[in-house]
Amino acid sequence: MAPRKLHLPDSAAVSESAADGRRFAPSAGRNAAPILELLTREAPARGRALEIASGTGQHVRAFAEALPGLDWQPSDLAPQNLDSIRAWAAGAGLANLAGPILLDAAQPGWAAGLGPLDLIVTVNLLHLISHDEARAMITEAARALSPRGLLFLYGPFRRTHGFASEGDVAFHARLAEQDPEIGYKSVDEITAWLRAAGIKEIRTVEMPANNLTFLARKT
């Protein structure tokens, strides 16, 4: 998949860099704590972890600091994001945080080169890519997981009964105006794609601001 140029609520802030190259996304700053609270409860104590779509690099640094038993591999589709990810990693000086790699997670075949992985995390990605790309990413991530490996998917999703709020309706509409192929995926769609990929142990956890986390463990 090619990187999309979308106007998002964080777009202006993310475009500004600190002197050392770090960029800051306000949404990543806001959701880091609840994501970490859940992740530290559910993640394996040790092993290999991949973050898909690391963006600015804020999250993966926090993950590596909070979960030192995991060796973290950040990744992103957009080459321009790698410098910010490197800058956040360099500022932490963490031995368990590798340099970022370019990764098109919707492209079949990457699991063979990166797996087996004990944990795969992606935050606020699935509503920004098409249905075909989202399903391909989930399928490949399932292939990359080790037995009992965990796929952690966080973001905004449509519930079975519809959108969780009027704000979600409006945000989905703004995304669809920019690219009709993207927008919110439903809980039922994500669950079906996970099951088709061979993952049967699936839980959803309500998160702040009407977001959800899918906890999908490979059995």
Side-chain angles (χ1 to χ4, degrees):
M1 60 183 174
R4 289 176 170 85
K5 294 183 179 180
L6 302 172
H7 179 71
L8 303 172
D10 279 353
S11 294
V14 169
S15 67
E16 300 173 1
S17 297
D20 62 0
R22 287 181 299 165
R23 290 181 294 125
F24 182 82
S27 62
R30 290 191 299 270
N31 62 31
I35 290 172
L36 265 178
E37 182 181 357
L38 180 60
L39 193 57
T40 52
R41 292 203 311 264
E42 299 291 340
R46 300 190 179 279
R48 301 177 63 234
L50 169 71
E51 185 186 28
I52 295 173
S54 296
T56 63
Q58 292 164 253
H59 277 155
V60 75
R61 170 174 167 169
F63 298 160
E65 288 175 331
L67 296 161
L70 289 167
D71 292 320
W72 285 89
Q73 176 62 70
S75 70
D76 207 89
L77 173 65
Q80 64 268 26
N81 287 340
L82 300 192
D83 286 342
S84 180
I85 299 168
R86 289 190 192 98
W88 278 98
L94 297 167
N96 66 325
L97 180 52
I101 59 171
L102 281 174
L103 177 64
D104 182 348
Q107 183 66 35
W110 62 262
L114 291 178
L117 295 159
D118 302 289
L119 173 65
I120 300 174
V121 177
T122 188
V123 173
N124 284 338
L125 172 65
L126 295 182
H127 60 296
L128 304 180
I129 60 179
S130 72
H131 281 70
D132 287 345
E133 290 165 340
R135 180 169 188 170
M137 190 217 80
I138 287 172
T139 299
E140 200 65 19
R143 290 174 181 156
L145 286 174
S146 62
R148 300 300 299 165
L150 177 67
L151 179 57
F152 186 105
L153 303 173
Y154 169 96
F157 299 94
R158 288 198 319 276
R159 288 15 175 209
T160 300
H161 61 273
F163 290 95
S165 71
E166 290 301 317
D168 287 299
V169 173
F171 186 33
H172 171 78
R174 289 199 300 273
L175 292 172
E177 286 173 3
Q178 296 176 71
D179 185 337
E181 291 190 350
I182 68 173
Y184 283 35
K185 314 302 182 288
S186 74
V187 169
D188 293 339
E189 286 172 326
I190 300 298
T191 300
W193 296 340
L194 288 166
R195 294 194 186 284
I199 295 180
K200 309 302 180 188
E201 186 179 326
I202 304 166
R203 288 193 291 133
T204 57
V205 179
E206 292 282 346
M207 304 292 283
N210 295 317
N211 289 303
L212 283 179
T213 294
F214 282 84
L215 299 171
R217 199 173 300 276
K218 192 171 183 178
T219 55

